[in-house]
Amino acid sequence: RRRINRSFQHKKPPVFNKSTSSWEPSTETEDEAYGPFGSFLRGGPSPFLVRIIQPSQYDQAVFKYMAQTSCSRAEAQGNMDAYFNNAADWAYQKQEEANGRPVVDYTELKPKQAIL
């Protein structure tokens, strides 16, 4: 069973600003792990297009996931790329993980994915 490194959990996660109704990164939030093309390679055209056409929606999803799970920005980006690619499959996988199945590392770029 593969475990994702969570050594960054001591960092302060993004916070929800009630006055602006948006998630905001803390001073300790890492920079983005990879750009839109990295999203394309990991999740396909859907997350790539969300990042290009609606970058604020993508960032909000990443910050919210980081805050809810205390994960790194790279892990949150990978999960949101998988979510924007196929929300039903992503949700099913998360439920399976909650039931004890192996955790999927969505940050990993597999060689077969990179060969278009």
Side-chain angles (χ1 to χ4, degrees), residues 2 5 25 32 39 42 54 66 79 94 104 107:
R2 185 172 185 187
N5 182 0
E32 65 181 24
S39 291
R42 288 168 180 81
Q54 298 174 310
M66 289 174 70
N79 274 276
K94 289 296 160 188
V104 173
T107 63

Side-chain angles (χ1 to χ4, degrees), residues 54-92:
Q54 298 174 310
S56 178
Q57 178 187 350
Y58 182 85
D59 287 341
Q60 287 298 297
V62 169
F63 293 150
K64 182 178 180 181
Y65 191 82
M66 289 174 70
Q68 291 177 336
T69 63
S70 297
C71 71
S72 70
R73 189 161 184 171
E75 185 177 345
Q77 280 188 243
N79 274 276
M80 291 303 92
D81 289 343
Y83 173 83
F84 286 122
N85 181 49
N86 187 327
D89 283 354
W90 178 83
Y92 177 79

Side-chain angles (χ1 to χ4, degrees), residues 1 5 11 14 18 20 23-25 27 45 51 60 67 72 75 79 82 84 98 107 109 112:
R1 183 173 176 164
N5 182 0
K11 293 185 177 185
K18 291 179 183 178
T20 62
W23 290 93
E24 297 177 352
T27 56
R51 287 190 76 172
Q60 287 298 297
S72 70
E75 185 177 345
N79 274 276
F84 286 122
T107 63
L109 180 59
K112 288 183 181 180

Side-chain angles (χ1 to χ4, degrees), residues 88-110:
D89 283 354
W90 178 83
Y92 177 79
Q93 178 60 39
K94 289 296 160 188
Q95 185 60 48
E96 290 296 301
E97 291 172 10
N99 291 332
R101 297 284 190 178
V103 175
V104 173
D105 183 358
Y106 291 110
T107 63
E108 182 181 354
L109 180 59
K110 298 174 184 91

